Amino acid sequence: MNSNVLQALLENTAAMQKLIELIEAKETRSDWVDPEEAARILGLNITAANNHRKQLNWLINKGFLKQFRMGRPPVYYRSELEKVSKKIACGEIGYVGRA
């Protein structure tokens, strides 16, 4: 019985190590982010109606966001989002509307 418990513990430990590696790999910061992460960086509310995506499009149309890749889903350049976030916080961009 002890050998069965030991074997189960070893298998569980190996599985947990794999899970931790997967989580850490996912958490690495990429230069490109999805619309939800972009909204979090900019401090926009993420809604079920996707209003945050419309607000991102508004920022693109007004020329505040220039580095992005269209697709499904579109991706946005993290460092540019951080710069625009600072502009919003300082009041240089006073209103983020909808496209």
Side-chain angles (χ1 to χ4, degrees):
M1 183 167 155
N2 284 337
S3 63
N4 290 339
V5 172
L6 181 61
Q7 181 65 26
L9 281 173
L10 291 174
E11 290 174 5
N12 188 22
T13 302
M16 290 302 291
Q17 286 295 339
K18 287 181 184 179
L19 180 61
I20 290 169
E21 289 172 6
L22 288 172
I23 291 171
E24 288 174 349
K26 187 175 182 178
E27 289 179 352
T28 57
R29 286 181 42 141
S30 172
D31 289 339
W32 296 94
V33 297
D34 64 357
E36 285 67 35
E37 181 68 19
R40 279 189 214 97
I41 292 170
L42 293 173
L44 303 175
N45 291 329
I46 298 173
T47 64
N50 288 330
N51 287 336
H52 60 286
R53 291 181 180 217
K54 294 171 187 169
Q55 292 171 330
L56 288 168
N57 284 334
W58 183 87
L59 288 167
I60 290 169
N61 292 336
K62 295 296 181 181
F64 296 117
L65 292 178
K66 296 178 182 157
Q67 296 179 336
F68 60 93
R69 288 188 280 182
M70 296 308 292
R72 291 194 177 256
V75 290
Y76 304 89
Y77 197 57
R78 181 185 297 275
S79 64
E80 185 180 40
L81 289 168
E82 291 169 352
K83 290 176 188 174
V84 171
S85 175
K86 288 178 185 174
K87 288 182 181 181
I88 292 171
C90 291
E92 291 178 37
I93 302 173
Y95 171 75
V96 179
R98 297 184 196 152

